[in-house]
Amino acid sequence: MGTAGHDRFEAVMRKCVSLGREAAASGNYGLGAMVVREGAVLGASGSGLVEGTDPTAHPEIVAIRTAAERAGSRYLPGAYLVTTLEPCPMCTAAAIWAKMGGIVYGAAQPDALRWAAEHPDPTFTWRQITMRAKDVVRAGRPLIELHEGVCREDCLALFPLTGFRSRKPGPDGRQAEGGGRPAAVARAR
């Protein structure tokens, strides 16, 4: 667990950030996840939670399901779940159940909790089960690697993009400030 080996995951994380931007532009959470093994992408997903009806369809779960189908096995040894936000207990457990090599994430759970407190939004709540991925990993078997904070700043930059398309325009037809995005970011767009 920690920051060793970040370099080998940065290119993949940047692809996850792109998936997160696409998801945000479509009116969803700005989150992206991929499952990779030996340089090959086995599964990838941006968030589609807002438009969907499956509460378990986090981008990490969708990417793991796709990877398992592609691999023809529920086990994904040597594969890594790479995601823009620290995975919830469900997604972390899914990586353990899949016997993956590890998890790599950018922004951390406290970042999402802080964002939610500072930018309340009835649709984009960023609600969390306050159990950190490292605690789930420690409790699970097999013990998998955990790489934290990879491209963290790039991943944090996705938060204010979340749900951009779903924001109601103001009286002048432009995106209204607030509604989950800080004024400086709203003006910069």
Side-chain angles (χ1 to χ4, degrees):
M1 291 185 218
T3 60
H6 276 199
D7 293 349
R8 70 180 171 139
F9 296 112
E10 286 181 2
V12 177
M13 184 62 80
R14 288 192 190 353
K15 291 177 184 175
C16 290
V17 169
S18 292
L19 289 170
R21 283 190 194 113
E22 291 171 16
S26 72
N28 276 285
Y29 285 94
L31 301 172
M34 299 177 86
V35 173
V36 295
R37 181 167 54 195
E38 298 173 359
V41 176
L42 299 179
S45 179
S47 178
L49 278 173
V50 174
E51 62 199 23
T53 58
D54 181 354
T56 69
H58 294 190
E60 298 89 349
I61 294 293
V62 174
I64 291 170
R65 286 177 181 158
T66 302
E69 284 180 30
R70 188 166 286 151
S73 174
R74 69 177 180 254
Y75 300 127
L76 299 167
Y80 286 82
L81 172 63
V82 183
T83 180
T84 56
L85 179 62
E86 180 176 355
C88 74
M90 172 185 69
C91 296
T92 303
I96 295 167
W97 297 140
K99 298 183 180 182
M100 297 178 81
I103 296 172
V104 180
Y105 70 83
Q109 184 183 77
D111 298 322
L113 292 170
R114 190 170 27 261
W115 176 263
E118 293 172 0
H119 306 90
D121 185 302
T123 301
F124 299 97
T125 60
W126 295 92
R127 67 191 180 118
Q128 303 279 315
I129 295 172
T130 53
M131 178 181 286
R132 303 291 304 272
K134 63 185 172 188
D135 297 325
V136 177
V137 166
R138 280 188 199 120
R141 294 293 173 266
L143 188 61
I144 64 175
E145 295 175 23
L146 187 63
H147 299 270
E148 304 165 296
V150 176
C151 301
R152 180 174 175 263
E153 293 303 317
D154 294 335
C155 295
L156 288 172
L158 294 171
F159 289 9
L161 301 179
T162 289
F164 181 70
R165 189 168 153 206
S166 69
R167 305 277 181 236
K168 303 248 186 274
D172 61 359
R174 294 180 17 196
Q175 284 299 120
E177 289 186 16
R181 69 179 44 254
V185 172
R187 280 192 292 277
R189 289 203 140 277

